[in-house]
Short mmCIF file of all heavy atoms in Angstrom, two decimals:
data_model
loop_
_atom_site.label_atom_id
_atom_site.label_comp_id
_atom_site.label_asym_id
_atom_site.label_seq_id
_atom_site.Cartn_x
_atom_site.Cartn_y
_atom_site.Cartn_z
N ILE A 938 -8.80 9.40 8.17
CA ILE A 938 -9.39 8.09 7.90
C ILE A 938 -8.32 7.00 8.00
O ILE A 938 -8.54 5.96 8.64
CB ILE A 938 -10.08 8.06 6.53
CG1 ILE A 938 -11.36 8.89 6.59
CG2 ILE A 938 -10.38 6.64 6.08
CD1 ILE A 938 -12.01 9.12 5.25
N LEU A 939 -7.17 7.23 7.39
CA LEU A 939 -6.10 6.25 7.46
C LEU A 939 -5.65 6.02 8.90
O LEU A 939 -5.33 4.89 9.28
CB LEU A 939 -4.91 6.68 6.61
CG LEU A 939 -5.04 6.46 5.12
CD1 LEU A 939 -3.81 6.99 4.39
CD2 LEU A 939 -5.25 5.01 4.79
N ASP A 940 -5.62 7.06 9.70
CA ASP A 940 -5.23 6.92 11.10
C ASP A 940 -6.23 6.02 11.84
O ASP A 940 -5.83 5.16 12.62
CB ASP A 940 -5.12 8.28 11.78
CG ASP A 940 -4.45 8.19 13.13
OD1 ASP A 940 -3.37 7.56 13.22
OD2 ASP A 940 -5.00 8.76 14.10
N GLY A 941 -7.52 6.20 11.56
CA GLY A 941 -8.53 5.35 12.17
C GLY A 941 -8.40 3.90 11.74
O GLY A 941 -8.50 2.98 12.56
N VAL A 942 -8.16 3.69 10.46
CA VAL A 942 -7.97 2.34 9.93
C VAL A 942 -6.73 1.70 10.56
O VAL A 942 -6.75 0.55 10.98
CB VAL A 942 -7.84 2.36 8.39
CG1 VAL A 942 -7.37 1.02 7.84
CG2 VAL A 942 -9.15 2.77 7.75
N ARG A 943 -5.66 2.48 10.65
CA ARG A 943 -4.42 1.99 11.24
C ARG A 943 -4.65 1.52 12.67
O ARG A 943 -4.23 0.42 13.05
CB ARG A 943 -3.37 3.10 11.22
CG ARG A 943 -2.03 2.71 11.84
CD ARG A 943 -1.13 3.90 12.08
NE ARG A 943 -1.67 4.88 12.99
CZ ARG A 943 -1.75 4.74 14.32
NH1 ARG A 943 -1.31 3.64 14.90
NH2 ARG A 943 -2.25 5.70 15.07
N LYS A 944 -5.36 2.32 13.45
CA LYS A 944 -5.63 1.97 14.85
C LYS A 944 -6.49 0.71 14.94
O LYS A 944 -6.20 -0.19 15.73
CB LYS A 944 -6.30 3.13 15.57
CG LYS A 944 -5.36 4.29 15.83
CD LYS A 944 -6.09 5.47 16.44
CE LYS A 944 -5.13 6.63 16.63
NZ LYS A 944 -5.84 7.87 17.02
N ARG A 945 -7.56 0.64 14.13
CA ARG A 945 -8.44 -0.52 14.17
C ARG A 945 -7.73 -1.80 13.75
O ARG A 945 -8.02 -2.88 14.25
CB ARG A 945 -9.68 -0.29 13.31
CG ARG A 945 -10.68 0.68 13.93
CD ARG A 945 -12.00 0.70 13.20
NE ARG A 945 -11.94 1.06 11.79
CZ ARG A 945 -11.84 2.31 11.32
NH1 ARG A 945 -11.81 3.33 12.14
NH2 ARG A 945 -11.82 2.53 10.03
N ALA A 946 -6.78 -1.67 12.83
CA ALA A 946 -6.04 -2.85 12.35
C ALA A 946 -4.85 -3.19 13.24
O ALA A 946 -4.21 -4.22 13.05
CB ALA A 946 -5.55 -2.60 10.92
N GLY A 947 -4.56 -2.31 14.20
CA GLY A 947 -3.43 -2.56 15.09
C GLY A 947 -2.08 -2.39 14.42
O GLY A 947 -1.10 -3.03 14.80
N LEU A 948 -2.02 -1.52 13.42
CA LEU A 948 -0.77 -1.27 12.71
C LEU A 948 0.00 -0.12 13.35
O LEU A 948 -0.61 0.86 13.80
CB LEU A 948 -1.04 -0.93 11.24
CG LEU A 948 -1.76 -1.99 10.42
CD1 LEU A 948 -2.14 -1.44 9.06
CD2 LEU A 948 -0.89 -3.23 10.29
N ALA A 949 1.30 -0.21 13.36
CA ALA A 949 2.13 0.87 13.91
C ALA A 949 2.13 2.07 12.97
O ALA A 949 2.21 3.22 13.42
CB ALA A 949 3.56 0.38 14.13
N LYS A 950 2.03 1.81 11.67
CA LYS A 950 2.12 2.90 10.68
C LYS A 950 1.28 2.53 9.46
O LYS A 950 1.23 1.37 9.06
CB LYS A 950 3.58 3.10 10.29
CG LYS A 950 3.83 4.25 9.35
CD LYS A 950 5.32 4.39 9.07
CE LYS A 950 5.55 5.49 8.05
NZ LYS A 950 6.95 5.56 7.63
N LEU A 951 0.63 3.52 8.87
CA LEU A 951 -0.09 3.34 7.62
C LEU A 951 -0.16 4.69 6.92
O LEU A 951 -0.66 5.66 7.49
CB LEU A 951 -1.51 2.81 7.85
CG LEU A 951 -2.37 2.65 6.59
CD1 LEU A 951 -1.79 1.59 5.66
CD2 LEU A 951 -3.80 2.30 6.96
N THR A 952 0.39 4.75 5.71
CA THR A 952 0.40 6.00 4.96
C THR A 952 -0.11 5.77 3.54
O THR A 952 -0.13 4.64 3.05
CB THR A 952 1.83 6.59 4.87
OG1 THR A 952 2.64 5.70 4.06
CG2 THR A 952 2.47 6.77 6.24
N CYS A 953 -0.49 6.86 2.88
CA CYS A 953 -0.89 6.78 1.47
C CYS A 953 0.26 6.24 0.63
O CYS A 953 0.04 5.48 -0.32
CB CYS A 953 -1.32 8.15 0.97
SG CYS A 953 -2.90 8.70 1.60
N HIS A 954 1.47 6.62 1.00
CA HIS A 954 2.64 6.16 0.24
C HIS A 954 2.80 4.64 0.36
O HIS A 954 3.12 3.97 -0.63
CB HIS A 954 3.90 6.89 0.73
CG HIS A 954 5.03 6.78 -0.22
ND1 HIS A 954 5.06 7.45 -1.42
CD2 HIS A 954 6.16 6.06 -0.16
CE1 HIS A 954 6.18 7.15 -2.07
NE2 HIS A 954 6.87 6.30 -1.32
N GLN A 955 2.54 4.09 1.54
CA GLN A 955 2.59 2.63 1.70
C GLN A 955 1.52 1.97 0.82
O GLN A 955 1.77 0.91 0.23
CB GLN A 955 2.38 2.24 3.15
CG GLN A 955 3.56 2.52 4.04
CD GLN A 955 3.24 2.25 5.48
OE1 GLN A 955 2.25 2.72 6.01
NE2 GLN A 955 4.09 1.48 6.12
N LEU A 956 0.35 2.57 0.74
CA LEU A 956 -0.71 2.02 -0.11
C LEU A 956 -0.29 2.05 -1.57
O LEU A 956 -0.62 1.14 -2.34
CB LEU A 956 -2.02 2.77 0.12
CG LEU A 956 -2.63 2.62 1.51
CD1 LEU A 956 -3.87 3.50 1.62
CD2 LEU A 956 -2.94 1.18 1.83
N ARG A 957 0.43 3.09 -1.97
CA ARG A 957 0.95 3.18 -3.33
C ARG A 957 1.92 2.02 -3.60
O ARG A 957 1.83 1.36 -4.64
CB ARG A 957 1.63 4.53 -3.53
CG ARG A 957 2.28 4.75 -4.88
CD ARG A 957 2.84 6.17 -4.95
NE ARG A 957 3.81 6.33 -5.99
CZ ARG A 957 3.55 6.61 -7.26
NH1 ARG A 957 2.29 6.74 -7.64
NH2 ARG A 957 4.51 6.77 -8.14
N HIS A 958 2.83 1.77 -2.67
CA HIS A 958 3.76 0.65 -2.81
C HIS A 958 2.99 -0.66 -2.95
O HIS A 958 3.30 -1.49 -3.80
CB HIS A 958 4.68 0.55 -1.58
CG HIS A 958 5.85 1.47 -1.62
ND1 HIS A 958 7.13 1.03 -1.83
CD2 HIS A 958 5.94 2.81 -1.46
CE1 HIS A 958 7.96 2.05 -1.80
NE2 HIS A 958 7.26 3.15 -1.57
N THR A 959 1.98 -0.84 -2.10
CA THR A 959 1.18 -2.07 -2.13
C THR A 959 0.47 -2.23 -3.47
O THR A 959 0.48 -3.32 -4.06
CB THR A 959 0.16 -2.07 -0.98
OG1 THR A 959 0.87 -1.98 0.26
CG2 THR A 959 -0.69 -3.33 -0.99
N CYS A 960 -0.12 -1.17 -3.97
CA CYS A 960 -0.82 -1.22 -5.25
C CYS A 960 0.13 -1.62 -6.37
O CYS A 960 -0.17 -2.52 -7.17
CB CYS A 960 -1.45 0.14 -5.55
SG CYS A 960 -2.26 0.21 -7.15
N LEU A 961 1.29 -0.97 -6.45
CA LEU A 961 2.24 -1.28 -7.52
C LEU A 961 2.77 -2.71 -7.39
O LEU A 961 2.95 -3.40 -8.40
CB LEU A 961 3.38 -0.26 -7.51
CG LEU A 961 2.95 1.18 -7.80
CD1 LEU A 961 4.13 2.13 -7.66
CD2 LEU A 961 2.30 1.31 -9.16
N THR A 962 3.01 -3.16 -6.17
CA THR A 962 3.46 -4.53 -5.96
C THR A 962 2.41 -5.52 -6.42
O THR A 962 2.71 -6.50 -7.11
CB THR A 962 3.79 -4.76 -4.46
OG1 THR A 962 4.87 -3.88 -4.09
CG2 THR A 962 4.19 -6.20 -4.21
N ARG A 963 1.15 -5.28 -6.08
CA ARG A 963 0.08 -6.20 -6.48
C ARG A 963 -0.09 -6.22 -8.00
O ARG A 963 -0.37 -7.28 -8.57
CB ARG A 963 -1.25 -5.81 -5.81
CG ARG A 963 -1.25 -5.93 -4.30
CD ARG A 963 -0.98 -7.37 -3.85
NE ARG A 963 -0.80 -7.43 -2.42
CZ ARG A 963 0.37 -7.55 -1.80
NH1 ARG A 963 1.48 -7.63 -2.49
NH2 ARG A 963 0.44 -7.61 -0.49
N LEU A 964 0.08 -5.07 -8.65
CA LEU A 964 0.00 -5.05 -10.12
C LEU A 964 1.09 -5.93 -10.72
O LEU A 964 0.83 -6.71 -11.64
CB LEU A 964 0.13 -3.61 -10.64
CG LEU A 964 -1.05 -2.69 -10.37
CD1 LEU A 964 -0.70 -1.26 -10.77
CD2 LEU A 964 -2.30 -3.17 -11.10
N ARG A 965 2.29 -5.83 -10.18
CA ARG A 965 3.40 -6.65 -10.68
C ARG A 965 3.14 -8.13 -10.42
O ARG A 965 3.35 -8.98 -11.29
CB ARG A 965 4.72 -6.21 -10.05
CG ARG A 965 5.92 -7.00 -10.51
CD ARG A 965 6.19 -6.75 -12.00
NE ARG A 965 7.20 -7.68 -12.47
CZ ARG A 965 6.95 -8.70 -13.30
NH1 ARG A 965 5.75 -8.91 -13.77
NH2 ARG A 965 7.92 -9.49 -13.67
N GLU A 966 2.68 -8.45 -9.21
CA GLU A 966 2.40 -9.84 -8.87
C GLU A 966 1.27 -10.42 -9.72
O GLU A 966 1.23 -11.63 -9.95
CB GLU A 966 2.04 -9.97 -7.38
CG GLU A 966 3.23 -9.79 -6.47
CD GLU A 966 2.88 -9.87 -4.99
OE1 GLU A 966 1.70 -9.66 -4.63
OE2 GLU A 966 3.79 -10.13 -4.20
N ALA A 967 0.38 -9.56 -10.19
CA ALA A 967 -0.73 -10.02 -11.03
C ALA A 967 -0.30 -10.22 -12.48
O ALA A 967 -1.10 -10.61 -13.32
CB ALA A 967 -1.89 -9.03 -10.96
N GLY A 968 0.97 -9.93 -12.77
CA GLY A 968 1.48 -10.20 -14.11
C GLY A 968 1.76 -8.98 -14.96
O GLY A 968 2.18 -9.11 -16.11
N MET A 969 1.53 -7.78 -14.44
CA MET A 969 1.82 -6.58 -15.21
C MET A 969 3.33 -6.47 -15.41
O MET A 969 4.10 -6.65 -14.48
CB MET A 969 1.28 -5.33 -14.50
CG MET A 969 1.45 -4.04 -15.30
SD MET A 969 0.83 -2.59 -14.41
CE MET A 969 -0.78 -2.44 -15.13
N ALA A 970 3.76 -6.19 -16.62
CA ALA A 970 5.18 -6.04 -16.92
C ALA A 970 5.75 -4.89 -16.10
O ALA A 970 5.07 -3.89 -15.84
CB ALA A 970 5.37 -5.75 -18.42
N LEU A 971 7.00 -5.04 -15.70
CA LEU A 971 7.65 -4.03 -14.87
C LEU A 971 7.63 -2.66 -15.56
O LEU A 971 7.41 -1.63 -14.92
CB LEU A 971 9.09 -4.45 -14.55
CG LEU A 971 9.82 -3.59 -13.53
CD1 LEU A 971 9.08 -3.55 -12.19
CD2 LEU A 971 11.24 -4.10 -13.33
N GLU A 972 7.81 -2.65 -16.88
CA GLU A 972 7.78 -1.38 -17.62
C GLU A 972 6.39 -0.73 -17.57
O GLU A 972 6.28 0.49 -17.52
CB GLU A 972 8.19 -1.61 -19.09
CG GLU A 972 9.62 -2.08 -19.27
CD GLU A 972 9.81 -3.59 -19.04
OE1 GLU A 972 8.83 -4.31 -18.80
OE2 GLU A 972 10.97 -4.03 -19.12
N ALA A 973 5.35 -1.56 -17.55
CA ALA A 973 3.99 -1.02 -17.44
C ALA A 973 3.74 -0.48 -16.03
O ALA A 973 3.10 0.56 -15.87
CB ALA A 973 2.95 -2.10 -17.78
#
């Protein structure tokens, strides 16, 4: 599924690990304390 999404979005790479990074970054940007 991720490979299909990657191709449709024109991305060179897309992994579950990248999504994990994105999720944690967005939580921090939304105000969650770094320790949380």
Side-chain angles (χ1 to χ4, degrees):
I938 288 171
L939 282 178
D940 192 49
V942 169
R943 179 192 62 75
K944 288 175 183 171
R945 286 191 301 280
L948 300 171
K950 184 178 177 186
L951 177 64
T952 66
C953 287
H954 197 72
Q955 286 174 309
L956 294 176
R957 177 176 162 86
H958 278 252
T959 300
C960 177
L961 297 175
T962 298
R963 295 299 172 257
L964 290 172
R965 180 66 190 109
E966 288 178 338
M969 184 181 263
L971 189 58
E972 296 82 3

